[in-house]
Structure formats: structure tokens, C-alpha cells
Amino acid sequence: MLYKSVSVFVIGTELTRGVIADKHCQVIASQLTQLGYRIDRMVLVPDDGTIDAVIRDCIDTCDVILLTGGLGPTSDDLTRSIVASIAGVTLVRDQECFETLYKRIGDRIWGANEQQTMIPQGFEPVPNPNGTAPGFKGFISKGDRLVACSAMPGPPREMDPMFFDQILPWLAELRGHDDFSRDEYSTFMIPEAKLEELCKSVAGEGIQWGTRFQDLKISLYLVGSSKEARDAMAERLQRLVGPSLVVPGEVLPLDLLTGVLKKNHLTVSCAESCTGGYAAKLLTDEAGSSSWFWGGAVTYANEAKMALLGVKEQTLATFGAVSSECVLEMAEGIRSVSQSDVGFSVSGVAGPSGGTEEKPVGTVWFGFSMKDRANQAVKLQISSWGRDSVRRKATVISLILTSLYINGDDLLDTVRKWQYI
Amino acid sequence: MLYKSVSVFVIGTELTRGVIADKHCQVIASQLTQLGYRIDRMVLVPDDGTIDAVIRDCIDTCDVILLTGGLGPTSDDLTRSIVASIAGVTLVRDQECFETLYKRIGDRIWGANEQQTMIPQGFEPVPNPNGTAPGFKGFISKGDRLVACSAMPGPPREMDPMFFDQILPWLAELRGHDDFSRDEYSTFMIPEAKLEELCKSVAGEGIQWGTRFQDLKISLYLVGSSKEARDAMAERLQRLVGPSLVVPGEVLPLDLLTGVLKKNHLTVSCAESCTGGYAAKLLTDEAGSSSWFWGGAVTYANEAKMALLGVKEQTLATFGAVSSECVLEMAEGIRSVSQSDVGFSVSGVAGPSGGTEEKPVGTVWFGFSMKDRANQAVKLQISSWGRDSVRRKATVISLILTSLYINGDDLLDTVRKWQYI
């Protein structure tokens, strides 16, 4: 069969100097393995041109060459010219790429950026919606063989969408897979190793899965068997962890809340302590957020909770800032000052120090207030993988819980199911 | 110089099938880089013998070969015999290894495990306190060259101690600990392509540079020539872009502000519109931030600016939210409600839509207020690479400008130099 053996090259001196860890190999390997490809080697090389010799070493024995990195605008971004040289063609400017980039950066295109619009002759550009450098794909002719070759940008936020949306379907086609069905889920707050264990425990026959770690969620892919079998597996997983932590599709935690807000024509405000503005930042990530987001108070000091939200000194003295009483006053306070429909609050021990036996690091209280509904507070104990992780999880949880609170779900019952966060 | 260039081979079909992610490359690369080695390639290969051809491809051009994996007792653990074959020697039983293993597993040694006590003739066994397979180290003779070679087990809990305790010291000795100097700088808000151009224009002879993109800054490395020449190049760069945008060392934008705050025993609060809480989030990233951060107001809606900060309706009606007048009232307002020493504010057009001819997307005003100092506002026009980029840059700028304002620097003169953001 044609197009069977794959060599992967990940280019970046920061990788071979150990400054950062490679993020691509496992993603590429697991997906291509599922398509029936065999990965012969995955090579991390510096961006100094070493790749030239490394590709020439193996081009006679492999069917597909995938490259990531080295497509930037700087002098050590050599991927384009090396692929052209190996393919025995010249670099030509792709007019569409040039125009797209020109629209974005105007006359600043002249200079280093112009190089990014060149691709090896005979190759097809692959659009990059998340960066300036397009990728490319095509074939290198070696005697009577064709070697499929694609180059993608190095940064995961540019490479991942390009790989999944454009290169993987191309490789599936080359491999002769008509059926390339794959279901994607977004999972929240479940550690990757735990997710792997849970998947194993509910796996359906012939179903393979893969995960992809992102800042605020982990994507889960199910491949193989039938759509019905994959749905059943996802349902078993949802029963284990709660349906709000595994949702179909490419969903950001923010989407869950904004969906509910838009549907019900509600506005929201937030009062944050340990998350320090992270929830507000996410709530304003999207353009147009002013239609449902009023604003928020980052009340880090106790005095801030009193001055901006009207939290009582007595409450702080008696129960502390990390308490049901405090988050209820915070949520009520931000709703009242803002006249928003919904107010929510977060206060917890982010760590790494500052925990007590009664309130260890990772203890976080969430408060909710909404007109015509009883105020509510819930506590979660977040496993501490460091300050940043506690803050990120607390932020994501606040968005999810607020959407459930607005829906009228039973929050206590929900968080009881969240035993893996 | 002997023993300079390194090739690393990580063997395991579970890696090339994407079942698990490699854990060794970054560890090995960062340690060896610190010793002054150069990593030419790090190759992940299946455990089917592919490694044989892959090593032969590069053995003529590298000085050190490190292998992990393929030392187990099963038939696909081929590392020993392949290294022996490449070195042109036979496998011999190491009596000490045999006795150590015999003590641990007794008569069960006869069979597959016995193979684990064989090492290539002339190589030295490396004890493995955490598993059954010893590693080995030694030299492969290639013409008049010697290639240092070591094989270690694959599981991280076996490989890591062996690497750090036994192999790394051996490599440090081989390398002879030469001077390996490299200067690192943190740069802010200058696009990578522009930084590359600027470096070219101020490059000193024999100095090489590299950049690494991070969320809130770009790291710049200078290597080669003398320390004096590298310093001079950095100084030329600073003169071009302003000294606050290129600073020595691994510095986060937050560090600039917290350094000034701690030194002067000041507390700060912030009032954010377009950055939506991002500045507050960064200001609370570090534990202990409560000693200099009071809190902030995320005043996304105009009503929020009035309710939380006392911005006048008249100001908003006459000048708009993105104006000198508004950010001054915001900064003054947050300082007054918080009783902090310093207040700063941000309001701008983050986009992607909402810009006007007078105030295009990327227009951002910053306001500053501090006791015993005149309030000040400055405007910047940030080149728009999308909403997220404008918000990130505005946040970083707010932190840097606040630190300069506290220092008493001339902000107008400073931002005039910032022509590349």
C-alpha cells in the first residue's frame, strides 16, 4: 500500500536545548497510528539547517514526511527552502497567502514577513488562521516514488488546528480511509492521567481514544467502531464524572456560561478573590461581551471586599474570607452594585502556602446570586498541582457552576459527582 | 573539541504509536546544553530494530550517542545487540551484573532476564538500582574518532536516576567543562519579525542570536564573540527600542512592576476596561501578592465605571470611555476607593470591531495616579494582531508604564520610542 511509513520532524532549537518540551510528537503519532500509518521516526532538530541532512538520510525509505516549525519570519526559519531544495524545485510566492497577510499587516509585510508567503513550487499552501505563516503540502518525487510532504508551523496553537482540520483529513485520504469519523469532546478539570484511567474503564470494543491538553480543558477524541458505540462510551464516561464535565464538541468553559446568558438574555458580574480577575478576563475574551458582562471586582485584600462589595467586617472576622458567608456577601454585593441579573463570587486558598488544617490549599468557595432565586454557596476541594493550577481550575469551575445555577440545577448534587478534580 | 555534538535516541513503539508521551528529551537536552553540548537530533523510534539504520545514518557526524529504552528482557529489546553490532564487538556477560541480578531474582534469571546481563565488549555496565536492566557506557571506534555511547533503560523512574547520578557526571568529565557563555534578555511587545530585523541591524561580529516566543514576552539569546561585544550589541538594541523593552535576564513583565513596588513599599490597585481583569490576574499570579496588591475593578460597562470608580457621566458622554479624561478619572477613582498608594487604569478599543477613524482598533489609553505626584495619561496605538493580542499587549504595557511612572520617568518620551509595538 502507498503512503504507509511516516517520518516526523519537529524543528526548534528551544527543543534541542531543552528550554521547552515537545508537544507535537504524541498528538501526531496517535492520530496517524489510528489511520493505520506506521511512524518510523520522530526527530527533534535545531533550527540551524541540520534538518536538511536528516531528511536526506531517510527520504528513500519513507512515504510521508511531516515537519513542524521553522516557518517563522526569522533567518533561522529554513523549512521552506530546505524542502524546496530536497524536492528540487524553487520557492515561489503564493499570491493568495501574500494578499491575506498583506490585509493583516499592510506594508509591514515587506521585510522578514514576506518570506512567509513563499512555498515550494508545486506545493499547495495550507491556510493558518492563527498566525502569519501558512503551511504547505504536496509531493516530493524520488525516482518512481512520490513522498507526501507537509510542513506546519511550530506553535501548538497554530499547528494543532492546522493538523486536525487540514493535514489529517489529507493523510486519511492518501491512506485510503473513506471513513474518517472521529468524535470530539471537551472535558473540564479532570487530570489527564485520571481521564485515561476512566476511559479505559468505560472503553467500547474497537474504540481508540486520545487526549489533548489545553490551558482550560482537555480535548478527548474517540475513533473507531460505530457512532452508536462511541456515543455509548461517552455516555458511560459522563455518568461517571457528571455530564457537565464532558461535553460534545470543541467547547470552551466560557461558552457554557455565555450560551446560557445569551439564551436567557441575562447580564452577569463577578467578584473574585483568589482567581484575581481571571474569570473577568475570560468573560471579556470574546468581542461583544459587553452585551452580557457588566464588570467585576477583584477584591484581593479584605478591605477591597468591604469597600467594593460591602462585605461586613464582622463576617470576615468571624468566618474568614474563605467561607460560605463571605462568598454569599460577595455575590450579593457585586449584583447589587452592578444591577446585573446574576452575580457570582470566588474565594479560596490558592497556595502554595497559606493553607490550614481546616482550610487546606485548594479549598475554594463559590457564591451565586440571582434575582428571584435563593442565593447559594458551594465549596470544592481542588487537588493542588500548584497555585496556577488551583486558580485555573477555580476559574473554570466558577463559570460552569454559574451556568448550572442559572439553569436551576442542583449544585450540591453536581459537585458531589466531581470527585476527580 | 572532542565530545561536542550529541544524538539522542529514545526507543519505544508506545512512543511512535502515540500511546505515551516522551519524557526524556527535554531532561537530557537541558542538562547537556548546560554542559555546553550541542544536541543535533533527538529521535523517537519504534523498538523493532529501526534504530540500527538511524544510528548508522548519523554516527559519522556526532560525538556522543545516548540511547534510552530497548534494554528489557523481551525479544523486541534490541539495543544491546545493535550497539554491539555497530561497534563491531560481541556481547559478553558481565559477571557482576549477573550476580547482582541473580541475588534479586534467583533461578528465574535463566531465560529472558539473562540477556539483560550481557553488554557490548569493552563497554562498562552502569548499575540500575530501580530495575533489572543495567545500562552501559563506553566508546565506539570510528576510524580515528571515538564516539562516546551510553544506553539507559526507558522507564523514567529507572532512567532519571541513572542519567543524573551516573551518565551526566561522565559526560561532564568528557566535555572538560569549557566556558560556554550565553546571555539572555527579555523583550516586551516587539513583534518577533521586527526583533529579528532590529537584531540584524545592530549585530556584532560573530554574535548569533535566537528568540523564543512566550505569551507575554519574547526571550532573546545572544551567543558567541565576547561578553563585551554581546553587551554592546544589547545596548545598541536598547537604544533603538527603549531600555524598558529589552531587559537582561529571564524577567516577566510583572517582575518589573512588583520590583518597584516592593522596593518602595507601595501598594497598587487597577481599574481595567478593555483588558477585562488581565492585569489584576497577572498581579495575583505570585503568592504573597496581597502585600502589594489591594484589588481592582473590572469596569467593562460604562455604568461599571460610574458605579465602582465614580467616573462622571458627563466625562463619558463628552469624551467617551477611551479618552485621557476617562482613564484619569478611573485611576484616581480606584486609588481613592482603595486607599492604595498607586492606581492605574486601562481603556481602549480591543476589537476586532468597534474602531472608528479617530479611535481605530488598538487605540488604548493608560492612566496613572499616585500620592504626591501629578496624575498622568498616555495613549498608545497598538498594532492589531487580533483582540487577544491587543489585550495582552495593553496589559503588559500597563504594568511597565506603571513601574516607570512610579520611578518618575518621562512617560511621554518613553512611549515615543516604542514605535514597534
Side-chain angles (χ1 to χ4, degrees):
Chain A
M1 164 155 317
L2 273 175
Y3 309 118
K4 213 168 137 188
S5 128
V6 182
S7 294
V8 178
F9 302 95
V10 181
I11 302 164
T13 300
E14 66 273 38
L15 296 163
T16 58
R17 295 179 63 93
V19 178
I20 58 174
D22 158 66
K23 296 246 165 73
H24 297 318
C25 284
Q26 192 185 9
V27 173
I28 294 176
S30 64
Q31 297 299 324
L32 265 57
T33 299
Q34 283 168 25
L35 286 182
Y37 283 98
R38 183 197 121 95
I39 313 275
D40 267 342
R41 77 203 74 195
M42 301 194 281
V43 190
L44 280 54
V45 285
D47 48 21
D48 58 1
T50 304
I51 184 71
D52 193 338
V54 177
I55 294 181
R56 286 179 203 274
D57 280 345
C58 71
I59 194 154
D60 290 331
T61 59
C62 73
D63 304 308
V64 178
I65 288 177
L66 296 182
L67 304 108
T68 81
L71 292 179
T74 62
S75 59
D76 50 13
D77 288 309
L78 299 166
T79 299
R80 281 177 201 83
S81 51
I82 287 172
V83 171
S85 144
I86 289 172
V89 299
T90 56
L91 280 177
V92 291
R93 184 203 280 174
D94 184 80
Q95 198 53 31
E96 206 178 312
C97 292
F98 183 85
E99 278 158 21
T100 307
L101 190 57
Y102 191 86
K103 263 188 217 141
R104 275 158 80 171
I105 64 172
D107 276 338
R108 281 179 292 125
I109 197 170
W110 302 110
N113 281 118
E114 192 202 353
Q115 184 191 310
Q116 296 186 295
T117 66
M118 311 285 280
I119 64 166
Q121 191 160 35
F123 280 67
E124 193 184 325
V126 180
N128 177 359
N130 301 301
T132 55
F136 55 83
K137 64 180 192 193
F139 298 91
I140 298 171
S141 174
K142 280 279 130 187
D144 58 351
R145 293 168 59 242
L146 285 182
V147 178
C149 174
S150 167
M152 293 170 279
R157 58 182 280 279
E158 301 181 28
M159 184 278 185
D160 279 353
M162 189 182 288
F163 174 68
F164 279 103
D165 299 342
Q166 303 182 79
I167 301 305
L168 204 52
W170 179 60
L171 292 173
E173 206 185 309
L174 289 181
R175 183 82 183 100
H177 273 250
D178 311 324
D179 178 35
F180 176 63
S181 28
R182 156 177 161 270
D183 298 333
E184 185 174 349
Y185 293 83
S186 299
T187 77
F188 306 108
M189 297 169 325
I190 309 163
E192 206 164 6
K194 177 55 72 178
L195 190 61
E196 173 71 20
E197 268 177 46
L198 294 169
C199 283
K200 246 181 222 161
S201 76
V202 298
E205 210 186 309
I207 300 178
Q208 294 176 300
W209 62 90
T211 55
R212 182 160 68 95
F213 181 83
Q214 289 153 290
D215 275 354
L216 300 170
K217 66 163 182 170
I218 292 173
S219 293
L220 171 71
Y221 308 95
L222 303 185
V223 193
S225 187
S226 66
K227 174 78 179 132
E228 290 69 34
R230 293 194 301 270
D231 286 350
M233 173 173 167
E235 242 183 78
R236 288 192 294 273
L237 186 61
Q238 286 178 319
R239 268 200 298 274
L240 271 186
V241 300
S244 47
L245 298 191
V246 178
V247 302
E250 176 75 44
V251 177
L252 292 170
L254 175 68
D255 301 334
L256 298 174
L257 177 53
T258 58
V260 174
L261 290 170
K262 287 175 195 166
K263 196 179 109 195
N264 295 288
H265 305 286
L266 297 172
T267 59
V268 73
S269 297
C270 56
E272 301 178 66
S273 185
C274 65
T275 51
Y278 204 175
K281 191 263 168 190
L282 293 185
L283 280 160
T284 53
D285 270 352
E286 257 182 38
S289 46
S290 55
S291 66
W292 37 262
F293 181 64
W294 181 86
V298 182
T299 53
Y300 207 65
N302 277 350
E303 294 71 34
K305 295 180 183 69
M306 297 188 277
L308 292 177
L309 302 169
V311 173
K312 296 192 205 84
E313 193 165 4
Q314 180 66 31
T315 305
L316 292 165
T318 313
F319 306 104
V322 180
S323 66
S324 164
E325 290 77 7
C326 181
V327 292
L328 286 172
E329 289 185 24
M330 287 170 70
E332 178 74 33
I334 191 66
R335 187 163 78 85
S336 129
V337 70
S338 69
Q339 307 283 317
S340 305
D341 303 308
V342 183
F344 71 90
S345 61
V346 193
S347 184
V349 187
S353 58
T356 62
E357 202 171 317
E358 198 197 345
K359 295 173 185 174
V361 169
T363 307
V364 185
W365 276 96
F366 302 85
F368 309 93
S369 175
M370 182 174 167
K371 61 179 176 187
D372 307 327
R373 184 154 313 167
N375 292 348
Q376 193 172 357
V378 296
K379 184 178 84 159
L380 274 161
Q381 185 59 46
I382 299 173
S383 58
S384 173
W385 292 81
R387 178 177 178 84
D388 186 52
S389 160
V390 170
R391 276 155 54 92
R392 268 188 290 141
K393 284 184 185 163
T395 303
V396 170
I397 290 169
S398 76
L399 302 180
I400 296 177
L401 284 181
T402 303
S403 69
L404 297 176
Y405 173 75
I406 296 172
N407 277 339
D409 287 11
D410 183 340
L411 295 192
L412 287 176
D413 185 58
T414 300
V415 302
R416 251 195 302 273
K417 279 215 188 89
W418 293 358
Q419 51 185 304
Y420 305 109
I421 64 168
Chain B
M1 161 153 320
L2 273 176
Y3 310 118
K4 216 167 131 188
S5 128
V6 182
S7 293
V8 178
F9 302 96
V10 181
I11 304 163
T13 300
E14 67 273 38
L15 296 162
T16 58
R17 295 181 62 93
V19 178
I20 58 172
D22 159 65
K23 297 245 164 70
H24 297 317
C25 284
Q26 193 185 10
V27 173
I28 294 176
S30 64
Q31 295 300 323
L32 264 57
T33 298
Q34 280 168 31
L35 286 182
Y37 283 97
R38 184 197 121 93
I39 312 276
D40 268 344
R41 77 202 73 196
M42 302 194 281
V43 190
L44 280 54
V45 286
D47 49 19
D48 58 0
T50 304
I51 183 71
D52 193 340
V54 177
I55 294 181
R56 287 179 202 272
D57 280 345
C58 71
I59 195 156
D60 291 330
T61 59
C62 73
D63 304 308
V64 178
I65 289 177
L66 295 182
L67 304 107
T68 80
L71 292 179
T74 62
S75 60
D76 51 12
D77 288 307
L78 299 166
T79 300
R80 281 179 200 81
S81 52
I82 287 172
V83 170
S85 144
I86 290 172
V89 299
T90 56
L91 280 177
V92 292
R93 185 202 282 175
D94 184 82
Q95 199 52 35
E96 206 179 314
C97 290
F98 183 86
E99 279 158 22
T100 307
L101 191 57
Y102 190 86
K103 263 188 219 148
R104 275 157 82 172
I105 63 172
D107 276 339
R108 279 177 297 126
I109 198 169
W110 302 109
N113 280 117
E114 192 203 353
Q115 184 190 309
Q116 295 186 293
T117 67
M118 310 286 279
I119 64 166
Q121 190 160 37
F123 280 69
E124 193 184 325
V126 180
N128 177 359
N130 301 299
T132 53
F136 56 83
K137 65 182 191 193
F139 297 91
I140 297 172
S141 174
K142 280 277 130 187
D144 57 353
R145 293 168 60 243
L146 285 181
V147 178
C149 174
S150 168
M152 293 169 280
R157 57 179 285 277
E158 301 180 30
M159 184 279 184
D160 280 352
M162 188 182 291
F163 174 67
F164 279 101
D165 300 342
Q166 304 182 78
I167 301 305
L168 204 52
W170 178 60
L171 292 173
E173 205 186 306
L174 289 181
R175 179 85 183 96
H177 283 289
D178 270 272
D179 177 36
F180 175 70
S181 16
R182 159 176 160 272
D183 300 331
E184 185 174 349
Y185 293 83
S186 299
T187 78
F188 306 108
M189 295 166 332
I190 309 164
E192 203 167 7
K194 179 53 72 178
L195 189 61
E196 170 72 17
E197 273 176 43
L198 294 169
C199 282
K200 246 183 221 160
S201 75
V202 299
E205 212 187 308
I207 299 178
Q208 295 175 298
W209 62 90
T211 55
R212 180 163 69 96
F213 181 82
Q214 290 153 289
D215 274 353
L216 300 170
K217 66 164 183 170
I218 291 173
S219 293
L220 171 70
Y221 307 96
L222 303 185
V223 192
S225 188
S226 66
K227 174 78 179 134
E228 290 70 33
R230 295 194 300 270
D231 286 351
M233 173 172 166
E235 242 184 79
R236 289 193 293 276
L237 186 61
Q238 286 178 319
R239 267 201 297 277
L240 271 185
V241 301
S244 47
L245 298 191
V246 177
V247 302
E250 177 74 43
V251 177
L252 292 171
L254 175 68
D255 300 335
L256 298 174
L257 177 53
T258 58
V260 175
L261 289 170
K262 287 176 196 165
K263 194 179 111 196
N264 296 287
H265 305 287
L266 296 172
T267 59
V268 72
S269 299
C270 56
E272 301 177 67
S273 186
C274 66
T275 51
Y278 204 175
K281 190 261 170 191
L282 292 185
L283 280 161
T284 53
D285 270 351
E286 258 182 36
S289 47
S290 53
S291 66
W292 38 262
F293 182 65
W294 181 86
V298 182
T299 53
Y300 208 66
N302 277 350
E303 293 72 33
K305 295 180 183 71
M306 296 188 279
L308 292 177
L309 302 169
V311 173
K312 295 192 205 85
E313 191 163 8
Q314 180 67 30
T315 306
L316 292 164
T318 313
F319 305 103
V322 181
S323 67
S324 165
E325 290 77 6
C326 180
V327 292
L328 285 173
E329 289 185 22
M330 287 170 70
E332 178 75 33
I334 190 67
R335 186 163 80 84
S336 129
V337 71
S338 69
Q339 307 283 316
S340 306
D341 303 307
V342 183
F344 71 90
S345 61
V346 192
S347 183
V349 187
S353 57
T356 63
E357 203 170 317
E358 199 197 344
K359 295 173 185 174
V361 170
T363 306
V364 184
W365 275 95
F366 302 85
F368 309 93
S369 176
M370 182 175 168
K371 62 178 172 185
D372 307 327
R373 184 152 315 165
N375 293 346
Q376 193 171 357
V378 295
K379 184 177 85 161
L380 274 160
Q381 185 60 46
I382 300 172
S383 58
S384 173
W385 291 80
R387 178 178 178 85
D388 185 52
S389 160
V390 170
R391 276 156 53 94
R392 268 188 289 143
K393 284 184 185 165
T395 302
V396 170
I397 290 170
S398 75
L399 302 180
I400 297 177
L401 284 181
T402 303
S403 68
L404 297 176
Y405 173 74
I406 296 172
N407 277 338
D409 287 11
D410 183 342
L411 295 192
L412 287 175
D413 186 57
T414 299
V415 303
R416 252 194 303 272
K417 279 215 189 90
W418 294 359
Q419 51 186 302
Y420 305 110
I421 64 169

